[in-house]
Amino acid sequence: MERSLVLIKPDAMQRGLAGEIIFRIERRGLKIVAMKMLQMDKALAQRHYSVHKDKAFFDHLVDFITSSPVIAIVFQGKNTVEVIRQTMGETDPTKARPGTIRGDFGIDIGYNLVHGSDSLQNASKEIDLFFSKGEISDYDREIGKWIS
Ligand code: IDP
Ligand code: MG
């Protein structure tokens, strides 16, 4: 079983798309094991996006992700990292296929609605940034056997 971190970004919060995004990922069969709404501060944003610190868009990205509350969610299930990346679509919404979250709701790379970890290693680091161990609840679901 894998875990991945999802963030419902400020543009999705402002546009009232949080439920739609959670719905699409949850419906794949992934299980929510932790969730909270929070206002990210600059320090957390810089740590979360530290791999991009030398990029031209970094300051804008930090301003954007701290501009409104976000919802942070840990999803758990089979191939979770890949399944979420696939459900989100390409980073640039103009390249994301219709049927993906970004392909259906986005038009600009700076406003692409949702974050999902890009590897198991980064998922683990990102989950630790947002959640303590005690905030993550693993539990069995009866429907689990019908999904994987
Ligand atoms: P990802 O979110 O699909 O994993 P990354 O390459 O990790 O994409 O980039 C992190 C975030 O930085 C993107 O989701 C997007 O919000 C923003 N970003 C990436 N590239 C650009 C760009 O060229 N211009 C503006 N923002 C960008
Ligand atoms: Mg990324």
Side-chain angles (χ1 to χ4, degrees):
M1 284 296 142
E2 292 185 2
R3 286 178 176 173
S4 184
L5 181 83
V6 164
L7 297 177
I8 311 295
K9 292 183 177 181
D11 51 341
M13 297 299 287
Q14 292 288 338
R15 292 173 58 188
L17 291 170
E20 174 74 36
I21 293 169
I22 295 167
F23 174 67
R24 286 178 176 225
I25 298 171
E26 190 183 28
R27 206 169 44 161
R28 291 293 304 263
L30 297 176
K31 175 166 70 178
I32 295 171
V33 294
M35 176 156 83
K36 65 168 95 161
M37 187 171 83
L38 74 153
Q39 173 66 54
M40 289 174 69
D41 62 18
K42 215 172 165 170
L44 177 59
Q46 285 170 340
R47 285 184 71 189
H48 174 68
Y49 281 126
S50 59
V51 292
H52 298 300
K53 67 179 188 306
D54 298 324
K55 308 260 173 66
F57 59 81
F58 183 70
D59 288 345
H60 174 266
L61 182 57
V62 169
D63 285 347
F64 164 67
I65 205 73
T66 58
S67 64
S68 193
V70 299
I71 295 176
I73 308 165
V74 181
F75 280 98
Q76 180 176 300
K78 201 171 174 183
N79 301 319
T80 305
V81 167
E82 175 57 24
V83 164
I84 290 173
R85 295 292 297 185
Q86 196 188 69
T87 306
M88 293 195 309
E90 294 274 314
T91 303
D92 181 348
T94 62
K95 300 199 176 75
R97 281 182 302 141
T100 63
I101 294 166
R102 288 162 167 174
D104 285 349
F105 300 111
I107 202 165
D108 187 298
I109 195 167
Y111 298 92
N112 62 5
L113 305 148
V114 60
H115 166 84
S117 310
D118 64 4
S119 66
L120 263 185
Q121 197 185 3
N122 285 336
S124 167
K125 279 192 216 157
E126 291 173 4
I127 289 167
D128 286 347
L129 275 182
F130 285 85
F131 294 95
S132 64
K133 294 272 177 277
E135 289 174 319
I136 303 174
S137 310
D138 199 356
Y139 56 98
D140 290 328
R141 297 194 302 181
E142 289 298 321
I143 62 160
K145 66 180 180 182
W146 301 105
I147 293 168
S148 58

